[in-house]
Amino acid sequence: MENKMFCFQCQETAGCKGCTICGVCGKKPEVAAMQDLLVFATKGLSAVTTRLRAEGKAVPAEVNHLVTVNLFITITNANFDREAIVRAIVHTLEVKRGLLTQLADAAALPGAATWDAPQAEFDAKAATVGVLSTANEDIRSLRELIVYGLKGLSAYSKHANALLQDDAEIDAFIQSALAKTLDDSLDAAALTALALETGKFGVQGMALLDKANTSAYGNPEITEVELGVRNRPGILISGHDLRDLEMLLEQSAGQGVDIYTHSEMLPAHYYPAFKKYPHFAGNYGNAWWRQKEEFEKFHGPILMTTNCVVPPAESYKGRLWTTGAVGVPGCNHIDGAYGAVKDFSGIIAQAKGCQPPEQLETGKIVGGFAHEQVFALADKVVAAVKSGAIRKFVVMAGCDGRMKSREYYAEFAAKLPKDVVILTAGCAKYKYNKLPLGDIGGIPRVLDAGQCNDSYSLALIALKLKEVFGLDDINKLPIAFNIAWYEQKAVIVLLALLHLGVKNIHLGPTLPAFLSPNVAKVLVDNFGIAGIGTVDDDIRLFFGE
Ligand code: FSO
Ligand code: SF4
């Protein structure tokens, strides 16, 4: 049967090969087509900006922001709104037209850079520019590995930009790398080097976001987060954008409503700046994939600041609001320029007429173990390692997802030897952060650094331990890596870890479908990347028991 679409960018791709009829995520072929075209148009724009820079001309920050938002729109579970994606393509073409007039030399630009067309031709063009338009499977695999890494990097850059922090070097890299994925003269070796360079900028991007978050909101600190609910109406905020949360907290203060975090917004509670809001009530629910059932029970409005959004049921669609790169047809969308204050009054007004949330669970969870907090505990941690009370750490960062095979991670956490501590970041933690894993001499056995981008903290912690123990190689530390991946932010985290020299990362529940056998072999041979086995086998492999 002929493909209606082709997408294999996330872990849940159909049959671990590719979604060809409709996305497992709910992405329809007509949306997939416009996402493909938006990536193509953004590559074309990037080829033009890269040429402008080569000519010594400045590229405005708005253009950099356009590139990163465009890529963010195409990340898994971010935007299902075809019309919004079409508007992004039209705008990108307009901007590109203006920039092309500034080029002294427009000769030999790639076809994507000079492509322009009215909207009526978008579908026909989209059918020719998707992933499968690169015939050689290894070149295709490497190009997609790079593009997915750049999507993740763009998401993190966008959050930093929202806090008015830019790094022009990162933007120039994103654009030149996008342009290189159009270049047929680059062979597998050149593209492999580019993928690793993407990891270098991944570290820089996460550092930028870390600086943006901590300079705006302080350093995360150990915090107990309430899981229960209060008796007033609530607003649930999901995704990763802390600036959106700040604006919502400000505007809803004293309005008789409470604000709850969901999924990747949980770590917001760890920042000192958000503790001053008495109506910042707690965390509601679990990882993204359980939202249908949980949003139903929340009763109040839900604001999705980023992925992961699941196409909503009719019953709560009217309560689902989107902002930033997120889009769901039929849901309210709130726009806002960089640096501008978004108007969340509609959400707050809706909340006031809603019932309070139905309680899902009670109790508290503890988090806030980002780099500064762990450094503050360094003496205790080092003493516990030296005494043997802590035998090993295992990094179990990454994402959660709906596949049954992910139960592996809950079982793995539960069966870990009692002298092993989990270092985590990202929504993967929901597989085990409510298990009674206890502590080792007051150090919790699950140390949550924050969102997936806070994997940067885990890297800093590892580098600090390397220094304290006087080791010459990060791989000599008593740290194992058993990472769960789902979407493209996990790809940039992986490339960043490879850049930092981390070897023998286990990646699951399945290896990416976009890695061709040859590309997978390069990663296995050079970096010891491996999949997962059974829980018992892997416990034996990592901890020898
Ligand atoms: Fe999860 Fe979704 Fe953070 Fe991702 S909520 S899956 S890697 O968007 O970004 O960990
Ligand atoms: Fe399939 Fe994942 Fe692509 Fe959605 S994002 S269409 S689930 S591969």
Side-chain angles (χ1 to χ4, degrees):
M1 205 171 83
E2 203 187 316
N3 288 350
K4 290 192 160 74
M5 59 184 277
F6 188 84
C7 180
F8 62 173
Q9 67 174 353
C10 84
Q11 188 274 324
E12 292 186 353
T13 195
C16 225
K17 288 199 160 61
C19 294
T20 57
I21 300 165
C22 181
V24 172
C25 60
K27 183 161 83 176
K28 300 255 167 40
E30 54 274 21
V31 173
M34 287 308 106
Q35 290 193 0
D36 288 349
L37 193 61
L38 181 58
V39 170
F40 177 77
T42 307
K43 287 181 179 180
L45 172 67
S46 297
V48 175
T49 56
T50 302
R51 182 72 69 90
L52 276 171
R53 288 193 182 92
E55 290 183 2
K57 293 172 184 142
V59 175
E62 301 85 72
V63 178
N64 294 336
H65 296 164
L66 176 62
V67 169
T68 47
V69 170
N70 282 356
L71 289 191
F72 202 164
I73 285 172
T74 69
I75 287 184
T76 301
N77 291 339
N79 202 310
F80 296 91
D81 187 350
R82 179 180 155 103
E83 292 314 312
I85 304 166
V86 167
R87 283 196 297 278
I89 299 167
V90 170
H91 180 51
T92 302
L93 292 177
E94 262 167 31
V95 170
K96 190 179 71 178
R97 235 171 271 140
L99 294 175
L100 275 168
T101 63
Q102 297 174 29
L103 270 184
D105 176 15
L109 279 171
T114 50
W115 174 72
D116 205 339
Q119 210 175 303
E121 292 172 24
F122 283 7
D123 278 300
K125 184 66 183 177
T128 67
V129 300
V131 169
L132 298 180
S133 62
T134 300
N136 179 299
E137 73 163 354
D138 296 328
I139 300 294
R140 181 197 306 150
S141 174
L142 287 162
R143 284 180 175 174
E144 295 309 313
L145 173 63
I146 293 161
V147 170
Y148 302 155
L150 296 173
K151 288 186 183 193
L153 178 53
S154 292
Y156 295 155
S157 297
K158 180 183 182 277
H159 295 309
N161 299 158
L163 292 167
L164 306 181
Q165 302 266 355
D166 283 70
D167 181 334
E169 208 181 52
I170 294 176
D171 288 305
F173 173 76
I174 291 174
Q175 292 158 37
S176 77
L178 279 174
K180 283 179 185 165
T181 65
L182 296 166
D183 184 347
D184 289 330
S185 73
L186 296 183
D187 62 7
L191 290 171
T192 303
L194 184 59
L196 297 177
E197 196 184 1
T198 306
K200 171 176 167 246
F201 283 93
V203 175
Q204 199 167 320
M206 283 193 274
L208 175 72
L209 179 53
D210 184 79
K211 186 178 90 184
N213 285 339
T214 55
S215 55
Y217 307 122
N219 275 299
E221 52 194 25
I222 301 178
T223 306
E224 285 193 323
V225 182
E226 285 285 346
L227 300 177
V229 298
R230 299 179 183 172
N231 57 7
R232 304 193 302 180
I235 299 172
L236 190 57
I237 177 166
S238 191
H240 307 68
D241 199 305
L242 298 181
R243 175 70 186 127
D244 285 335
L245 171 69
E246 182 185 17
M247 290 186 277
L248 182 65
L249 284 168
E250 276 297 318
Q251 293 172 34
S252 57
Q255 301 272 338
V257 299
D258 292 313
I259 306 297
Y260 296 83
T261 53
H262 169 259
S263 193
E264 276 285 70
M265 200 56 90
L266 157 67
H269 291 278
Y270 312 154
Y271 288 90
F274 299 129
K275 295 188 174 173
K276 65 175 184 243
Y277 299 98
H279 66 305
F280 194 28
N283 190 68
Y284 188 83
N286 293 280
W288 65 272
W289 60 278
R290 292 171 70 177
Q291 68 188 247
K292 275 201 160 166
E293 173 200 331
E294 294 176 351
F295 288 2
E296 196 76 62
K297 294 182 174 164
F298 185 73
H299 301 319
I302 304 120
L303 174 63
M304 299 297 310
T305 65
T306 64
N307 56 334
C308 283
V309 62
V310 174
E314 284 303 321
S315 53
Y316 66 84
K317 198 173 181 176
R319 291 191 278 115
L320 191 70
W321 298 66
T322 63
T323 188
V326 194
V328 177
C331 290
N332 282 298
H333 183 82
I334 298 169
D335 264 330
Y338 289 87
V341 176
K342 293 181 182 175
D343 178 6
F344 291 137
S345 59
I347 305 180
I348 296 164
Q350 185 184 60
K352 289 178 179 171
C354 293
Q355 293 295 314
E358 179 181 331
Q359 185 143 290
L360 297 177
E361 50 199 335
T362 55
K364 290 177 178 173
I365 44 174
V366 180
F369 296 93
H371 49 87
E372 291 310 302
Q373 180 64 84
V374 175
F375 294 172
L377 294 171
D379 290 350
K380 211 170 166 178
V381 173
V382 169
V385 174
K386 285 192 171 152
S387 73
I390 294 178
R391 178 167 34 136
K392 209 159 179 172
F393 298 91
V394 57
V395 172
M396 291 180 70
C399 328
D400 199 9
R402 58 198 135 200
M403 280 189 167
K404 219 175 153 24
S405 51
R406 286 183 189 263
E407 282 168 16
Y408 163 95
Y409 295 102
E411 199 189 327
F412 184 86
K415 284 191 170 172
L416 280 174
K418 300 286 171 271
D419 51 5
V420 173
V421 169
I422 297 173
L423 300 175
T424 194
C427 62
K429 62 175 145 283
Y430 285 98
K431 276 283 182 280
Y432 45 79
N433 66 349
K434 293 167 188 170
L435 298 177
L437 296 179
D439 64 82
I440 298 175
I443 302 166
R445 287 189 56 229
V446 178
L447 297 181
D448 177 22
Q451 300 178 338
C452 47
N453 42 290
D454 295 311
S455 298
Y456 174 70
S457 259
L458 303 182
L460 288 189
I461 292 165
L463 291 170
K464 181 78 175 177
L465 289 174
K466 178 182 150 212
E467 180 194 313
V468 172
F469 290 112
L471 299 171
D472 57 355
D473 181 352
I474 199 166
N475 295 296
K476 290 184 182 161
L477 282 167
I479 304 182
F481 287 80
N482 195 4
I483 290 179
W485 83 285
Y486 173 57
E487 46 90 330
Q488 299 78 51
K489 291 178 216 170
V491 176
I492 194 62
V493 171
L494 174 69
L495 293 175
L497 290 175
L498 297 185
H499 170 74
L500 290 171
V502 177
K503 294 219 160 60
N504 303 321
I505 296 173
H506 288 248
L507 206 58
T510 52
L511 288 179
F514 57 80
L515 296 180
S516 67
N518 286 332
V519 173
K521 189 170 181 313
V522 170
L523 294 179
V524 170
D525 292 350
N526 294 298
F527 300 101
I529 296 270
I532 57 170
T534 66
V535 169
D536 290 337
D537 284 351
D538 287 352
I539 297 263
R540 223 168 292 123
L541 180 74
F542 287 124
F543 312 106
E545 51 179 68

